[in-house]
Amino acid sequence: MKVLVTGGAGYIGSHAVVVLLEAGHQVVVLDNLANGSAEAVARAAELGGGAVPLIEGDIRDRPLLDRVFSEHTCDAVMHFAGLKAVGESVEQPLRYFENNVAGTLTLCQAMAQTGVTRLVFSSSATVYGDEHPLPWHEGLPTGTPSNPYGRSKLMVEQVLADLAAADERWQIGILRYFNPVGAHESGRLGESPRGIPNNLVPYIAQVATGRRESLAVYGNDYPTPDGTGVRDYLHVMDLVEGHLAALQALGRRQGVNVWNLGTGRGYSVLEMVRAFEQACGSKVAYHFAPRREGDVASCWADPSKAREELGWQTRRHLAAMMADTWRWQQANPEGYT
Ligand code: NAD
Ligand code: WQD
């Protein structure tokens, strides 16, 4: 297959490029480099052993999309392009809805026009809200995400459901990620946050290299075993292998299919700190701070639907997530820059 990967210069998209190439697919990347890097695409191409054209452009640019689809005969789209900083989305909601929702509409319009109707979309466990008992499974109704970023994902899910209901050509996989972490085993690809990291593992990694002084642990009074927040962390390589499985399964499926991508078990913030210390061989300084607004106490997936329908499950454990993050961080202390 030839696959257009939007957002392929970003963290998850670049890892997806590697597994797509390794599986024998051809790849074209479209990315506006708002939060991605051409170097990530070059390294992914090298690791995957293929040539990957990078089209520097925006998913909101319809004439560009039409040109891309006429120049490249694509069979499917993996759609990673989007803005993802939760706090920023609270300050700039219009920018987030424009980019994530309007951008996806434009992409789908261009796809429908050219007859490319197989789509794998990056959604998030945040669409469940926090009203449900754990673990979260796909049969639950979606809830109320606590911020504009999360609502942009929920809106896109709703748009895609309506689209597939109206036009039976569509084969859509909505993948609800839990917490992706880790890096490619080579240490050549990884997460390269700009500025102060928002997410736990990149922050811990920067404390470990001495770039940040101490991790603020947001809350130690949650109803969890050690009082700190619990999440379902999964290795980014497992995550992108889930995308590959979804892409293949969609060939046998019509309409919209929703799959959780998670491990099914949670770790607390302190467990994550200890696991990172094991990987890097030194202490990671931390201090307790107030809860972060919008955070839930705990969340983990019921991953059984993906296991049964995609034949996919996570293979890499916490030690590998941390060892791979550490390898990447040491080799690329400033990311790709
Ligand atoms: P990322 O920021 O590293 O990658 C996103 C890429 O999309 C970047 O390279 C950016 O330049 C590009 N992009 C953004 N807007 C664009 C636009 N309008 N046109 C073209 N390119 C654009 O983020 P990531 O962590 O790799 O996330 C990929 C996707 O997965 C996103 O949609 C994100 O919301 C979703 N997701 C991520 C997580 C996570 O924890 N990382 C969790 C759930 C869902
Ligand atoms: C994990 C745990 C924090 C940073 C977010 C988005 C979600 C999805 C993934 C995607 C929590 C604690 C964190 C720190 C801390 N986004 N923490 N100190 O919040 O589960 O999910 O990223 O696109 O939509 O909400 O992930 O890594 O930020 O936090 O104590 O400096 O670590 O409170 O318990 P989260 P996270």
PDB file of all heavy atoms in Angstrom, residues 227-248:
ATOM      1  N   GLY A 227      -0.981   7.468  46.263  1.00  0.00           N
ATOM      2  CA  GLY A 227      -1.495   8.841  46.271  1.00  0.00           C
ATOM      3  C   GLY A 227      -1.203   9.634  45.004  1.00  0.00           C
ATOM      4  O   GLY A 227      -1.713  10.738  44.825  1.00  0.00           O
ATOM      5  N   THR A 228      -0.360   9.082  44.099  1.00  0.00           N
ATOM      6  CA  THR A 228      -0.053   9.826  42.868  1.00  0.00           C
ATOM      7  C   THR A 228      -0.846   9.236  41.696  1.00  0.00           C
ATOM      8  O   THR A 228      -1.321   8.094  41.752  1.00  0.00           O
ATOM      9  CB  THR A 228       1.469   9.810  42.562  1.00  0.00           C
ATOM     10  OG1 THR A 228       1.887   8.467  42.254  1.00  0.00           O
ATOM     11  CG2 THR A 228       2.269  10.317  43.744  1.00  0.00           C
ATOM     12  N   GLY A 229      -1.001  10.028  40.642  1.00  0.00           N
ATOM     13  CA  GLY A 229      -1.855   9.649  39.513  1.00  0.00           C
ATOM     14  C   GLY A 229      -1.392   8.376  38.821  1.00  0.00           C
ATOM     15  O   GLY A 229      -0.189   8.119  38.718  1.00  0.00           O
ATOM     16  N   VAL A 230      -2.354   7.602  38.362  1.00  0.00           N
ATOM     17  CA  VAL A 230      -2.048   6.321  37.696  1.00  0.00           C
ATOM     18  C   VAL A 230      -2.493   6.397  36.235  1.00  0.00           C
ATOM     19  O   VAL A 230      -3.600   6.839  35.928  1.00  0.00           O
ATOM     20  CB  VAL A 230      -2.769   5.165  38.430  1.00  0.00           C
ATOM     21  CG1 VAL A 230      -2.702   3.878  37.617  1.00  0.00           C
ATOM     22  CG2 VAL A 230      -2.165   4.952  39.812  1.00  0.00           C
ATOM     23  N   ARG A 231      -1.602   5.949  35.335  1.00  0.00           N
ATOM     24  CA  ARG A 231      -1.902   5.955  33.902  1.00  0.00           C
ATOM     25  C   ARG A 231      -1.450   4.645  33.253  1.00  0.00           C
ATOM     26  O   ARG A 231      -0.541   3.979  33.751  1.00  0.00           O
ATOM     27  CB  ARG A 231      -1.146   7.093  33.193  1.00  0.00           C
ATOM     28  CG  ARG A 231      -1.522   8.488  33.638  1.00  0.00           C
ATOM     29  CD  ARG A 231      -2.914   8.895  33.164  1.00  0.00           C
ATOM     30  NE  ARG A 231      -3.232  10.259  33.533  1.00  0.00           N
ATOM     31  CZ  ARG A 231      -3.704  10.624  34.730  1.00  0.00           C
ATOM     32  NH1 ARG A 231      -3.910   9.733  35.662  1.00  0.00           N
ATOM     33  NH2 ARG A 231      -3.985  11.893  34.970  1.00  0.00           N
ATOM     34  N   ASP A 232      -2.027   4.399  32.087  1.00  0.00           N
ATOM     35  CA  ASP A 232      -1.687   3.218  31.285  1.00  0.00           C
ATOM     36  C   ASP A 232      -0.653   3.646  30.236  1.00  0.00           C
ATOM     37  O   ASP A 232      -1.010   4.167  29.173  1.00  0.00           O
ATOM     38  CB  ASP A 232      -2.980   2.703  30.640  1.00  0.00           C
ATOM     39  CG  ASP A 232      -2.778   1.432  29.835  1.00  0.00           C
ATOM     40  OD1 ASP A 232      -1.644   1.135  29.436  1.00  0.00           O
ATOM     41  OD2 ASP A 232      -3.794   0.753  29.578  1.00  0.00           O
ATOM     42  N   TYR A 233       0.633   3.462  30.551  1.00  0.00           N
ATOM     43  CA  TYR A 233       1.712   3.866  29.635  1.00  0.00           C
ATOM     44  C   TYR A 233       2.013   2.731  28.678  1.00  0.00           C
ATOM     45  O   TYR A 233       2.172   1.583  29.109  1.00  0.00           O
ATOM     46  CB  TYR A 233       2.972   4.216  30.437  1.00  0.00           C
ATOM     47  CG  TYR A 233       2.758   5.385  31.385  1.00  0.00           C
ATOM     48  CD1 TYR A 233       2.386   5.168  32.712  1.00  0.00           C
ATOM     49  CD2 TYR A 233       2.901   6.700  30.944  1.00  0.00           C
ATOM     50  CE1 TYR A 233       2.167   6.235  33.578  1.00  0.00           C
ATOM     51  CE2 TYR A 233       2.678   7.777  31.809  1.00  0.00           C
ATOM     52  CZ  TYR A 233       2.313   7.529  33.118  1.00  0.00           C
ATOM     53  OH  TYR A 233       2.087   8.581  33.977  1.00  0.00           O
ATOM     54  N   LEU A 234       2.098   3.078  27.377  1.00  0.00           N
ATOM     55  CA  LEU A 234       2.479   2.035  26.419  1.00  0.00           C
ATOM     56  C   LEU A 234       3.632   2.522  25.554  1.00  0.00           C
ATOM     57  O   LEU A 234       3.775   3.723  25.310  1.00  0.00           O
ATOM     58  CB  LEU A 234       1.292   1.588  25.558  1.00  0.00           C
ATOM     59  CG  LEU A 234       0.794   2.437  24.388  1.00  0.00           C
ATOM     60  CD1 LEU A 234      -0.017   1.567  23.429  1.00  0.00           C
ATOM     61  CD2 LEU A 234      -0.051   3.601  24.857  1.00  0.00           C
ATOM     62  N   HIS A 235       4.435   1.555  25.105  1.00  0.00           N
ATOM     63  CA  HIS A 235       5.621   1.866  24.303  1.00  0.00           C
ATOM     64  C   HIS A 235       5.176   2.349  22.918  1.00  0.00           C
ATOM     65  O   HIS A 235       4.309   1.743  22.289  1.00  0.00           O
ATOM     66  CB  HIS A 235       6.484   0.609  24.165  1.00  0.00           C
ATOM     67  CG  HIS A 235       7.890   0.893  23.706  1.00  0.00           C
ATOM     68  ND1 HIS A 235       8.186   1.401  22.465  1.00  0.00           N
ATOM     69  CD2 HIS A 235       9.095   0.748  24.333  1.00  0.00           C
ATOM     70  CE1 HIS A 235       9.493   1.546  22.338  1.00  0.00           C
ATOM     71  NE2 HIS A 235      10.072   1.155  23.463  1.00  0.00           N
ATOM     72  N   VAL A 236       5.825   3.430  22.460  1.00  0.00           N
ATOM     73  CA  VAL A 236       5.434   4.013  21.167  1.00  0.00           C
ATOM     74  C   VAL A 236       5.554   2.996  20.019  1.00  0.00           C
ATOM     75  O   VAL A 236       4.766   3.038  19.060  1.00  0.00           O
ATOM     76  CB  VAL A 236       6.246   5.313  20.891  1.00  0.00           C
ATOM     77  CG1 VAL A 236       7.735   5.023  20.742  1.00  0.00           C
ATOM     78  CG2 VAL A 236       5.712   6.059  19.684  1.00  0.00           C
ATOM     79  N   MET A 237       6.495   2.043  20.118  1.00  0.00           N
ATOM     80  CA  MET A 237       6.617   1.050  19.041  1.00  0.00           C
ATOM     81  C   MET A 237       5.438   0.076  19.063  1.00  0.00           C
ATOM     82  O   MET A 237       4.957  -0.359  18.009  1.00  0.00           O
ATOM     83  CB  MET A 237       7.949   0.293  19.134  1.00  0.00           C
ATOM     84  CG  MET A 237       9.171   1.142  18.815  1.00  0.00           C
ATOM     85  SD  MET A 237       9.082   1.987  17.213  1.00  0.00           S
ATOM     86  CE  MET A 237       9.163   0.584  16.095  1.00  0.00           C
ATOM     87  N   ASP A 238       4.963  -0.276  20.266  1.00  0.00           N
ATOM     88  CA  ASP A 238       3.742  -1.080  20.339  1.00  0.00           C
ATOM     89  C   ASP A 238       2.569  -0.297  19.741  1.00  0.00           C
ATOM     90  O   ASP A 238       1.753  -0.835  18.993  1.00  0.00           O
ATOM     91  CB  ASP A 238       3.415  -1.429  21.799  1.00  0.00           C
ATOM     92  CG  ASP A 238       4.265  -2.589  22.323  1.00  0.00           C
ATOM     93  OD1 ASP A 238       4.612  -3.479  21.518  1.00  0.00           O
ATOM     94  OD2 ASP A 238       4.580  -2.605  23.519  1.00  0.00           O
ATOM     95  N   LEU A 239       2.517   0.978  20.082  1.00  0.00           N
ATOM     96  CA  LEU A 239       1.426   1.825  19.586  1.00  0.00           C
ATOM     97  C   LEU A 239       1.395   1.842  18.052  1.00  0.00           C
ATOM     98  O   LEU A 239       0.343   1.629  17.440  1.00  0.00           O
ATOM     99  CB  LEU A 239       1.608   3.250  20.124  1.00  0.00           C
ATOM    100  CG  LEU A 239       0.561   4.262  19.680  1.00  0.00           C
ATOM    101  CD1 LEU A 239      -0.719   4.110  20.482  1.00  0.00           C
ATOM    102  CD2 LEU A 239       1.081   5.696  19.840  1.00  0.00           C
ATOM    103  N   VAL A 240       2.548   2.063  17.433  1.00  0.00           N
ATOM    104  CA  VAL A 240       2.526   2.160  15.970  1.00  0.00           C
ATOM    105  C   VAL A 240       2.306   0.783  15.321  1.00  0.00           C
ATOM    106  O   VAL A 240       1.739   0.697  14.235  1.00  0.00           O
ATOM    107  CB  VAL A 240       3.764   2.893  15.400  1.00  0.00           C
ATOM    108  CG1 VAL A 240       3.777   4.336  15.880  1.00  0.00           C
ATOM    109  CG2 VAL A 240       5.077   2.193  15.735  1.00  0.00           C
ATOM    110  N   GLU A 241       2.708  -0.274  16.012  1.00  0.00           N
ATOM    111  CA  GLU A 241       2.368  -1.607  15.488  1.00  0.00           C
ATOM    112  C   GLU A 241       0.848  -1.801  15.511  1.00  0.00           C
ATOM    113  O   GLU A 241       0.283  -2.461  14.631  1.00  0.00           O
ATOM    114  CB  GLU A 241       3.082  -2.693  16.295  1.00  0.00           C
ATOM    115  CG  GLU A 241       4.575  -2.751  15.956  1.00  0.00           C
ATOM    116  CD  GLU A 241       5.412  -3.642  16.883  1.00  0.00           C
ATOM    117  OE1 GLU A 241       4.829  -4.388  17.702  1.00  0.00           O
ATOM    118  OE2 GLU A 241       6.653  -3.574  16.783  1.00  0.00           O
ATOM    119  N   GLY A 242       0.187  -1.200  16.495  1.00  0.00           N
ATOM    120  CA  GLY A 242      -1.278  -1.220  16.528  1.00  0.00           C
ATOM    121  C   GLY A 242      -1.881  -0.510  15.324  1.00  0.00           C
ATOM    122  O   GLY A 242      -2.912  -0.920  14.787  1.00  0.00           O
ATOM    123  N   HIS A 243      -1.229   0.550  14.880  1.00  0.00           N
ATOM    124  CA  HIS A 243      -1.712   1.269  13.685  1.00  0.00           C
ATOM    125  C   HIS A 243      -1.612   0.394  12.442  1.00  0.00           C
ATOM    126  O   HIS A 243      -2.478   0.409  11.576  1.00  0.00           O
ATOM    127  CB  HIS A 243      -0.905   2.545  13.457  1.00  0.00           C
ATOM    128  CG  HIS A 243      -1.217   3.637  14.419  1.00  0.00           C
ATOM    129  ND1 HIS A 243      -0.950   3.535  15.751  1.00  0.00           N
ATOM    130  CD2 HIS A 243      -1.801   4.838  14.261  1.00  0.00           C
ATOM    131  CE1 HIS A 243      -1.343   4.635  16.367  1.00  0.00           C
ATOM    132  NE2 HIS A 243      -1.873   5.445  15.488  1.00  0.00           N
ATOM    133  N   LEU A 244      -0.505  -0.333  12.374  1.00  0.00           N
ATOM    134  CA  LEU A 244      -0.295  -1.212  11.222  1.00  0.00           C
ATOM    135  C   LEU A 244      -1.382  -2.296  11.197  1.00  0.00           C
ATOM    136  O   LEU A 244      -1.968  -2.588  10.149  1.00  0.00           O
ATOM    137  CB  LEU A 244       1.085  -1.851  11.379  1.00  0.00           C
ATOM    138  CG  LEU A 244       1.748  -2.420  10.156  1.00  0.00           C
ATOM    139  CD1 LEU A 244       1.920  -1.360   9.090  1.00  0.00           C
ATOM    140  CD2 LEU A 244       3.141  -2.969  10.550  1.00  0.00           C
ATOM    141  N   ALA A 245      -1.655  -2.851  12.373  1.00  0.00           N
ATOM    142  CA  ALA A 245      -2.688  -3.893  12.470  1.00  0.00           C
ATOM    143  C   ALA A 245      -4.051  -3.317  12.083  1.00  0.00           C
ATOM    144  O   ALA A 245      -4.843  -3.975  11.393  1.00  0.00           O
ATOM    145  CB  ALA A 245      -2.720  -4.452  13.893  1.00  0.00           C
ATOM    146  N   ALA A 246      -4.318  -2.081  12.500  1.00  0.00           N
ATOM    147  CA  ALA A 246      -5.607  -1.450  12.171  1.00  0.00           C
ATOM    148  C   ALA A 246      -5.706  -1.206  10.666  1.00  0.00           C
ATOM    149  O   ALA A 246      -6.747  -1.464  10.046  1.00  0.00           O
ATOM    150  CB  ALA A 246      -5.758  -0.145  12.936  1.00  0.00           C
ATOM    151  N   LEU A 247      -4.622  -0.737  10.088  1.00  0.00           N
ATOM    152  CA  LEU A 247      -4.611  -0.457   8.646  1.00  0.00           C
ATOM    153  C   LEU A 247      -4.972  -1.714   7.862  1.00  0.00           C
ATOM    154  O   LEU A 247      -5.766  -1.678   6.914  1.00  0.00           O
ATOM    155  CB  LEU A 247      -3.211   0.028   8.248  1.00  0.00           C
ATOM    156  CG  LEU A 247      -3.006   0.434   6.808  1.00  0.00           C
ATOM    157  CD1 LEU A 247      -3.721   1.741   6.516  1.00  0.00           C
ATOM    158  CD2 LEU A 247      -1.507   0.591   6.512  1.00  0.00           C
ATOM    159  N   GLN A 248      -4.381  -2.829   8.279  1.00  0.00           N
ATOM    160  CA  GLN A 248      -4.659  -4.090   7.586  1.00  0.00           C
ATOM    161  C   GLN A 248      -6.091  -4.553   7.840  1.00  0.00           C
ATOM    162  O   GLN A 248      -6.805  -4.920   6.911  1.00  0.00           O
ATOM    163  CB  GLN A 248      -3.667  -5.169   8.040  1.00  0.00           C
ATOM    164  CG  GLN A 248      -2.348  -5.040   7.291  1.00  0.00           C
ATOM    165  CD  GLN A 248      -1.137  -5.538   8.075  1.00  0.00           C
ATOM    166  OE1 GLN A 248      -1.259  -6.036   9.184  1.00  0.00           O
ATOM    167  NE2 GLN A 248       0.033  -5.368   7.489  1.00  0.00           N
TER     168      GLN A 248
END
